[in-house]
Amino acid sequence: MRAELNQGLIDFLKASPTPFHATRSMAQRLQAAGFRALDEREPWHTEPGGRYYVTRNDSSIIAFCLGHRAPLDGGLRMVGAHTDSPCLRVKPQPELQRQGFFQLGVEVYGGALLAPWFDRDLSLAGRVTFREGGKVQSLLIDFEQPIAVIPNLAIHLNREANQGWAINAQTELPPILAQFPGEDSADFRAVLTERLAEEHGISADAVLDYELSFYDTQSAAVIGLNQDFIAGARLDNLLSCYAGLQALIEADSDESCVLVCTDHEEVGSCSACGADGPFLEQVLRRVLPEGDAFVRIIQKSLLVSADNAHGVHPNYADKHDANHGPKLNAGPVIKVNSNQRYATNSETAGFFRHLCLAEEVPVQSFVVRSDMGCGSTIGPITASQLGVPTVDIGLPTFAMHSIRELAGSHDLAHLVRVLSAFYGSAELA
């Protein structure tokens, strides 16, 4: 079971280099499991026992099972995560010709650790909008092969490198894609036109625009002397998306269950498809009763906001509160912050802890040091938008926001087990 889940996660990460691809990957898996796609532009016809999903912007997805027990009686069991990760996004007019090299200008998306992006074999993926035969349409592309690199400056020319230096995102991050002799130059939109033809058989009249990200081509892997760890890109937060997806697909419950995975968490979630937008509420209002009944259902519901937690690093243990240092492979972490950077309260934490104990899943707690700032999640945002009781949890990881993060190889099975129990629980209090 554990090895199968870990390999499934590795395959999911490989298929999901961008939020667009992650959403497509989840939609394909849901469809294969009998979920029916809904279109926000069309009327919906849902029924108890039905399984459905809907996407927005190709980068956010909500999937739900309508139980035979009325939501007004049992409430909703919701799991939330996000599809985006810090990365380097290509600028609209990115072509750079310097010293005979073809480079692309990039913008840093989210709070990325920049140093690990150097000296990696990079590829490019995302969404391209183009015109074909007078019609504007969009498709996802993925170059798959290594096509770019950001070489480090040799230490001989940067003697202070190991003492730390500020990376200039404008001048030091443009990846190198090719070397052109003489006065030759490259047209990036022509490169995309060629890729559309190769990947989709499309003869585009013009590439109109795009949302493209660089990513590391090295595959995720189970590593360690005793295979204790999973190393890979975008574990924050596709690890939680995958765990929630597995639990929902396997759910066999009379209760109504929801999985919501939204884009733009790393930049504040304020978008039409982000957690600070109307997507979740609009979907729920289309499938639940209105007025008084809607509020009653929400107040009988619970959201488990699943986003990675900071594991205690053996080289930097002093960065944690001594009593709240989550360990890899020791189970999911309940995240608490008195200043509401996490939405957990004693009742929602107590219920999640009860679930873990009942399922014999180890559980931990995290509180940031009192002299350090605390990150946040979709938990407080969704709680404030919808008014739903919420608990923030996550699996402990190292190197969060690096191009290659590290998690425990036992913890995915722990999380899937407790989320499956959550989806099947008859009572939420």
Side-chain angles (χ1 to χ4, degrees):
M1 172 67 172
R2 176 166 66 92
E4 184 179 343
L5 278 174
N6 289 340
Q7 186 57 52
L9 172 62
I10 290 169
D11 294 341
F12 176 60
L13 292 171
K14 183 176 182 179
S16 307
T18 73
F20 303 112
H21 289 83
T23 298
R24 184 177 68 180
S25 297
M26 286 188 280
Q28 290 170 342
R29 291 163 191 250
L30 288 163
Q31 200 154 20
F35 285 72
R36 183 164 65 86
L38 299 174
D39 188 331
E40 288 195 278
R41 299 164 295 184
E42 301 294 335
W44 289 1
H45 303 287
T46 59
E47 57 187 10
R51 310 177 98 193
Y52 310 93
Y53 73 89
V54 58
T55 66
R56 181 177 286 189
N57 188 49
D58 300 326
S59 63
S60 296
I61 187 167
I62 296 174
F64 55 95
C65 306
L66 295 179
H68 290 286
R69 184 184 182 194
L72 194 55
D73 295 329
L76 305 174
R77 285 128 190 85
M78 296 190 284
V79 174
H82 63 88
T83 58
D84 60 322
S85 303
C87 62
L88 303 182
R89 295 274 176 92
V90 181
K91 291 181 176 181
Q93 295 172 251
E95 294 92 346
L96 299 173
Q97 302 279 145
R98 301 189 297 190
Q99 302 299 318
F101 292 98
F102 171 44
Q103 298 174 269
L104 293 179
V106 292
E107 184 177 14
V108 179
Y109 176 86
L113 274 172
L114 297 179
W117 280 82
F118 287 79
D119 305 323
R120 308 294 298 191
D121 297 341
L122 303 178
S123 193
L124 192 62
R127 183 171 65 180
V128 177
T129 301
F130 59 93
R131 185 180 64 228
E132 183 191 32
K135 182 180 179 182
V136 176
Q137 53 186 309
S138 297
L139 285 172
L140 305 190
I141 65 167
D142 182 0
F143 282 82
E144 296 183 354
Q145 300 301 315
I147 63 167
V149 65
I150 309 170
N152 253 304
L153 183 63
I155 195 166
H156 313 76
L157 304 177
N158 183 11
R159 294 291 183 181
E160 304 302 313
N162 291 331
Q163 279 69 56
W165 86 100
I167 297 171
N168 187 304
Q170 174 69 19
T171 61
E172 296 182 78
L173 288 184
I176 295 173
L177 279 78
Q179 187 174 19
F180 289 138
E183 299 300 318
D184 290 354
S185 61
D187 179 348
F188 183 56
R189 280 172 165 76
V191 174
L192 297 181
T193 301
E194 183 178 339
R195 185 63 200 172
L196 285 169
E198 291 177 357
E199 190 170 343
H200 296 287
I202 294 290
S203 298
D205 302 331
V207 169
L208 302 172
D209 224 317
Y210 51 80
E211 295 165 84
L212 297 169
S213 306
F214 283 101
Y215 70 92
D216 185 5
T217 57
Q218 183 180 1
S219 175
V222 176
I223 67 168
L225 187 63
N226 299 313
Q227 297 192 311
D228 289 327
F229 314 112
I230 298 177
R234 301 177 299 282
L235 292 179
D236 177 20
N237 189 29
L238 295 187
L239 176 58
S240 300
C241 291
Y242 181 74
L245 181 69
Q246 289 298 114
L248 185 68
I249 287 174
E250 296 167 7
D252 184 14
S253 174
D254 287 333
E255 311 300 335
S256 294
C257 305
V258 180
L259 173 66
V260 50
C261 298
T262 48
D263 197 2
H264 300 139
E265 189 274 346
E266 298 293 358
V267 292
S269 292
C270 189
S271 68
C273 61
D276 201 18
F279 186 29
L280 178 58
E281 182 176 355
Q282 288 177 345
V283 167
L284 294 180
R285 287 195 179 278
R286 294 185 72 167
V287 298
L288 297 176
E290 281 293 339
D292 175 76
F294 182 83
V295 177
R296 291 165 62 194
I297 290 169
I298 296 301
Q299 292 308 308
K300 291 181 178 181
S301 302
L302 179 66
L303 169 69
V304 175
S305 168
D307 200 350
N308 297 16
H310 297 292
V312 59
H313 194 304
N315 298 345
Y316 306 96
D318 60 347
K319 294 296 184 180
H320 280 73
D321 181 288
N323 291 341
H324 301 91
K327 298 184 183 301
L328 272 61
N329 289 318
V333 179
I334 299 172
K335 301 194 284 188
V336 178
N337 183 260
S338 295
N339 295 302
Q340 295 301 297
R341 299 295 287 169
Y342 304 130
T344 307
N345 62 37
S346 61
E347 291 185 332
T348 60
F351 177 76
F352 188 82
R353 193 178 300 276
H354 160 74
L355 270 183
C356 290
L357 292 172
E359 293 299 312
E360 299 183 337
V361 170
V363 62
Q364 310 179 77
S365 297
F366 172 76
V367 180
V368 73
R369 282 179 57 112
S370 298
D371 55 359
M372 293 177 65
C374 183
S376 192
T377 70
I378 66 164
I381 295 171
T382 308
S384 62
Q385 285 278 351
L386 203 58
V388 62
T390 300
V391 58
D392 269 296
I393 63 101
L395 293 183
T397 56
F398 293 158
M400 192 181 294
H401 289 194
S402 175
I403 197 170
R404 194 165 180 85
E405 300 163 322
L406 193 75
S409 63
H410 296 261
D411 279 333
L412 175 58
H414 289 147
L415 184 56
V416 171
R417 183 169 181 175
V418 73
L419 292 182
S420 296
F422 171 59
Y423 277 142
S425 60
E427 300 298 331
L428 295 180

